[in-house]
Amino acid sequence: MSTATASMQECIQNCQECQTICADMLTSHCLVEGGDHVEQTHVKRMLDCIAACGACIDFMSRNSENHSLYCRACAEICKACAESCEKVGGMEKCVECCRTCEQSCSSMAA
Amino acid sequence: MSTATASMQECIQNCQECQTICADMLTSHCLVEGGDHVEQTHVKRMLDCIAACGACIDFMSRNSENHSLYCRACAEICKACAESCEKVGGMEKCVECCRTCEQSCSSMAA
Amino acid sequence: MSTATASMQECIQNCQECQTICADMLTSHCLVEGGDHVEQTHVKRMLDCIAACGACIDFMSRNSENHSLYCRACAEICKACAESCEKVGGMEKCVECCRTCEQSCSSMAA
Amino acid sequence: MSTATASMQECIQNCQECQTICADMLTSHCLVEGGDHVEQTHVKRMLDCIAACGACIDFMSRNSENHSLYCRACAEICKACAESCEKVGGMEKCVECCRTCEQSCSSMAA
């Protein structure tokens, strides 16, 4: 990114990592484990998280004047996804990237 | 949509119309006309509008608990896009679908 | 759509219907029913179908010279999703919209 | 990514870089420069490239059986975008990331 600030570049990277790790864990871990891992609320929170990161990357990469709206939403959704992953258990990798993304997006939204 | 309320179904349709009309007008009208039509702020507002509608459709179609965040953002962005299209002129079709989408998304976000 | 042909407009509408019906059925039906409905291959095919329709709408609404690549991929993916939904059972609504979308996208890709 | 092969992980990263660099260059360079930079074919190729990378990331991150369809399309579209950026001139950064992404996606599609 030529024009983005260092903090925006870092936030884009955190969103990219969160988006791909959650998508990978959902399809290659949760859908294999079954049980709590495919419970409606949990899967919906993971799908929301993947979509929220995607939208956030999109608005930041276009240097949009509206990126803070999507960063704020992404922070909230990552927080809920991290909590759901902690409750389900065995999803430390997701919890970690969601927490990092939440903090990064909160800063960008401020 | 089997489970969505009638108002959510209507909002999805308004977002779908706004997304495709703005994308069509941007690529087949603005990029041909040039001048004010390709001024940075105007094009960025149209790209934001197309992306905002897409994200909003996505969250509503998954009956997400977080859809109101995306409806609220979409309403704000559609309003700015409508104003930009009015200023540029000759874009009544965009102005109309953005206004309709703005009202629909505002209601869903309430 | 002002500039799209009638067949492209119809294909966009079929993709929009398929995208939102599959997203709704996945989150409000499959994730509630459990069992075969949340089996890995089935859920992955539904997620592919939702994403394929979204990409297809995007390229068609921009009147892209590359839309046929995405229509061809979407046709193939809708076919696989329809077959998966038939096998799982009780998902007639999905089967129907996937079949319609498959035919429409095949025609656009030709 | 826990389950993706090393080459898929690398391809995802190349697509992410290409998506964000092209989006940044379009909105912060082309829309400021004007002239050839906002010519219809060029802008449409850049929009196609951004969207193609996004779809490709999405299918790879879900370890989709259909990812090769999107990698093949992405390779073709990145090639056309690189050529357009070369013709316009002063867009070396875009040319470079599009070429890298093209090669990476071609390998994944094979």
Side-chain angles (χ1 to χ4, degrees):
Chain A
M1 302 286 293
S2 58
T3 58
T5 57
S7 58
M8 196 186 270
Q9 285 186 51
E10 200 189 321
C11 190
I12 289 176
Q13 282 165 11
N14 289 331
C15 286
Q16 287 171 332
E17 188 143 322
C18 191
Q19 179 191 33
T20 53
I21 286 175
C22 287
D24 180 47
M25 286 291 283
L26 173 61
T27 51
S28 303
H29 177 76
C30 296
L31 293 177
V32 173
E33 292 293 315
D36 286 354
H37 284 82
V38 292
E39 188 265 325
Q40 188 192 29
T41 306
H42 177 62
V43 175
K44 287 182 75 172
R45 287 197 176 163
M46 291 201 74
L47 291 173
D48 274 12
C49 186
I50 296 162
C53 290
C56 207
I57 294 162
D58 183 38
F59 277 81
M60 284 192 285
S61 65
R62 283 187 281 102
N63 305 294
S64 165
E65 61 188 349
N66 296 299
H67 74 268
S68 61
L69 294 170
Y70 292 86
C71 290
R72 195 171 303 121
C74 193
E76 194 172 314
I77 288 168
C78 282
K79 188 172 182 287
C81 187
E83 286 166 4
S84 187
C85 290
E86 269 178 344
K87 222 174 84 183
V88 167
M91 297 192 69
E92 289 72 22
K93 208 175 164 181
C94 271
V95 174
E96 196 189 341
C97 70
C98 287
R99 294 280 182 217
T100 304
C101 195
E102 178 202 346
Q103 287 171 14
S104 194
C105 285
S106 288
S107 303
M108 286 305 299
Chain B
M1 302 287 292
S2 58
T3 58
T5 57
S7 58
M8 195 185 271
Q9 286 186 50
E10 200 188 323
C11 190
I12 288 175
Q13 282 165 11
N14 289 331
C15 287
Q16 287 171 331
E17 188 142 322
C18 191
Q19 178 192 31
T20 54
I21 286 175
C22 286
D24 180 46
M25 287 292 282
L26 173 62
T27 51
S28 303
H29 177 75
C30 295
L31 294 177
V32 172
E33 293 293 315
D36 286 354
H37 285 82
V38 292
E39 187 266 324
Q40 189 191 27
T41 306
H42 176 62
V43 175
K44 286 182 74 173
R45 286 197 177 162
M46 291 201 73
L47 291 173
D48 274 11
C49 186
I50 297 163
C53 289
C56 206
I57 293 163
D58 183 39
F59 276 82
M60 285 192 286
S61 66
R62 282 186 281 101
N63 305 294
S64 165
E65 60 188 348
N66 296 300
H67 75 268
S68 62
L69 294 170
Y70 292 86
C71 291
R72 196 172 302 123
C74 194
E76 195 172 314
I77 289 168
C78 283
K79 188 172 180 289
C81 188
E83 285 165 6
S84 186
C85 290
E86 270 178 342
K87 223 174 82 183
V88 167
M91 299 192 66
E92 290 70 23
K93 209 175 164 181
C94 271
V95 174
E96 196 189 343
C97 71
C98 287
R99 294 278 181 221
T100 305
C101 195
E102 178 202 346
Q103 286 172 13
S104 195
C105 284
S106 289
S107 303
M108 285 306 298
Chain C
M1 303 287 292
S2 58
T3 59
T5 57
S7 57
M8 195 186 270
Q9 287 186 50
E10 200 189 322
C11 190
I12 288 175
Q13 282 165 11
N14 289 331
C15 287
Q16 287 172 330
E17 187 142 324
C18 191
Q19 178 192 32
T20 53
I21 287 176
C22 286
D24 179 47
M25 287 292 281
L26 173 61
T27 51
S28 303
H29 177 75
C30 295
L31 293 177
V32 173
E33 291 294 313
D36 287 353
H37 284 82
V38 291
E39 186 267 324
Q40 188 192 29
T41 305
H42 177 62
V43 175
K44 287 182 74 173
R45 287 197 176 162
M46 292 200 74
L47 291 173
D48 273 11
C49 186
I50 297 162
C53 290
C56 208
I57 293 162
D58 182 37
F59 276 82
M60 284 191 286
S61 66
R62 283 186 280 104
N63 305 294
S64 165
E65 59 188 351
N66 296 299
H67 75 268
S68 62
L69 294 170
Y70 291 87
C71 290
R72 196 171 304 124
C74 193
E76 194 171 313
I77 289 167
C78 282
K79 189 172 180 287
C81 187
E83 285 165 5
S84 186
C85 290
E86 269 178 344
K87 222 173 83 181
V88 167
M91 298 192 68
E92 289 71 22
K93 210 178 165 179
C94 271
V95 174
E96 196 189 342
C97 70
C98 287
R99 295 278 182 220
T100 304
C101 195
E102 178 203 346
Q103 286 172 13
S104 195
C105 284
S106 289
S107 303
M108 285 305 298
Chain D
M1 303 284 294
S2 57
T3 58
T5 57
S7 57
M8 196 186 270
Q9 286 185 52
E10 200 189 321
C11 191
I12 289 175
Q13 282 165 12
N14 289 331
C15 287
Q16 287 171 331
E17 188 142 321
C18 191
Q19 179 191 32
T20 54
I21 287 176
C22 287
D24 180 46
M25 286 292 282
L26 173 61
T27 51
S28 303
H29 177 75
C30 296
L31 293 177
V32 173
E33 293 293 314
D36 286 354
H37 284 83
V38 293
E39 187 265 324
Q40 188 192 28
T41 305
H42 177 62
V43 175
K44 287 182 75 174
R45 285 197 178 162
M46 291 202 73
L47 291 173
D48 274 12
C49 186
I50 297 162
C53 289
C56 207
I57 293 162
D58 182 38
F59 277 82
M60 285 192 285
S61 66
R62 281 187 280 101
N63 305 295
S64 165
E65 61 188 350
N66 295 300
H67 75 268
S68 60
L69 294 169
Y70 291 87
C71 291
R72 195 171 303 123
C74 193
E76 195 171 315
I77 289 168
C78 283
K79 187 172 180 288
C81 187
E83 286 165 5
S84 186
C85 290
E86 269 178 345
K87 221 174 85 183
V88 167
M91 299 191 68
E92 290 71 24
K93 209 177 165 180
C94 271
V95 175
E96 196 189 342
C97 71
C98 287
R99 294 279 182 220
T100 304
C101 194
E102 179 202 345
Q103 286 172 14
S104 194
C105 285
S106 288
S107 303
M108 285 307 297

